[in-house]
Amino acid sequence: MSTALPAPRTHGAETVELYRRHLGSGRAVLGAVLGGMVEVDSEGPWVHTHDGRRFLDFGGYGVFILGHRHPSVVAAVHEQLHRHPLATRVFLEPVAARAAQVLTARTPPGLDLVHFVNSGTEATEAALKLARAHGRNALISMESGYHGKTLGALSVTANRLYQDPFAPLLPDTAHVPYGDAGALATALAERRGRACVILEPVQGEGGVRIPPPGYLAEVSRLCRRYGALLVADEVQTGLGRLGTWWGVDAERVVPDMMLVGKGLSGGVVPVAAMVATEEVYHPFSRDPYLHTSTFAASPLACAAAVAAVEALDGEDHVTRAAALGETLLTGVRAVCAPYLNGGPVREVRGRGLLIGVECAQEQAVGELVLELIGRGVLVNHSLNAGRVLRLTPPAVIREAEVQFFLAAFAQALRTVSARLR
């Protein structure tokens, strides 16, 4: 049960108004639509609101692979907070060094150098700058790919809804169909020796798009053939989310750079990283002031990262994610089966604990989100695929919680299906 402090005195309506005044009217409206609930407490797979309700968290945008407030991560952060939470950045700092050691012990062989940052989009920026330091100024990303919303990252996030208000973005950027190695080969041939390719092993915000077998290995081969650098964005897919440590493990691909985030936080303190081979990392290694950030590699964040990786390893959550993913995918497909072929569901797909339910229309996704909230479950839509409901449950859920979700999902789908007839 929860051991949190009492809920803040500010309640739903007051918080909505504070959002409207100080954080933006759009977010305030969305909060009001969702009932004006205020989250005040969490533990494991559960989030608690100010009115005493609790919600099974199958959302969180992939952050909570260890659930909320994992005891080992909280203890490590608590100890670091009382010891030395932020560094001067003048002396060497041992927690960052330890975090790099622990992380690279689990990355594909050769990815030995780490640049810590505070978010996934910052990891993307670091990779794009490092590619430019090697003369790879042409960027190739995948249609529906998502890599963040800062200006450089936005250039390779292939969604005009987010790009157009901030154009022009980085020049010489191309987007090719995900899973189409032929289209990538054509784009690389036109940019021989000066390209950087960035892709997700499974597209998350793109609607849980799983590439055809052999695609990742072929992408790696094409990059070598045409002298391109390869960046694997594992911000959402890495650290056990797909039932393997990394999405590239499925085809034993070793990219030039890999982006890590979300689960690296342990669900407690934001932290992300760009990991690279020694050869590719050399410009950053030669000049440590070439790309810097005041709060990057803070002792507090790195303590969380060490504890998160060690918990994933020591408690065998990666293996557990694979087994739970199979159980959930089977269950979700069974629930959706009566609603295929003309119903509100088009397809269910997933790998590990990343599962997508593609609906026939966007309206169905929004209504399912609301119906599930009404039944005590949190899920996410997909930013680059409006018809896809996305499930990213933690690896710490138990059988009773799996059944709770499946029952709630069946009821929500039944209600939405009847409404949309």
Side-chain angles (χ1 to χ4, degrees), residues 220-283:
S220 179
R221 188 190 71 80
L222 288 170
C223 286
R224 292 194 301 272
R225 176 181 176 183
Y226 290 103
L229 292 179
L230 175 59
V231 179
D233 185 340
E234 295 264 15
V235 169
Q236 183 162 173
T237 56
L239 295 169
R241 174 59 61 187
L242 302 182
T244 52
W245 272 95
W246 311 102
V248 294
D249 290 349
E251 297 182 12
R252 298 183 179 180
V253 167
V254 179
D256 298 292
M257 291 175 270
M258 190 166 74
L259 313 182
V260 187
K262 294 190 185 292
L264 189 62
S265 69
V268 177
V269 180
V271 60
M274 184 275 295
V275 190
T277 64
E278 183 174 5
E279 179 182 2
V280 171
Y281 196 83
H282 180 68

Side-chain angles (χ1 to χ4, degrees), residues 155-208:
S155 300
V156 290
T157 292
N159 188 333
R160 292 189 60 182
L161 176 66
Y162 306 123
Q163 290 181 329
D164 285 355
F166 307 103
L169 299 172
L170 292 180
D172 202 358
T173 300
H175 309 304
V176 300
Y178 187 66
D180 187 339
L184 177 61
T186 299
L188 283 169
E190 295 170 352
R191 299 163 178 82
R192 185 185 293 269
R194 58 186 185 88
C196 173
V197 174
I198 181 169
L199 84 167
E200 302 153 271
V202 171
Q203 288 190 332
E205 297 292 352
V208 191

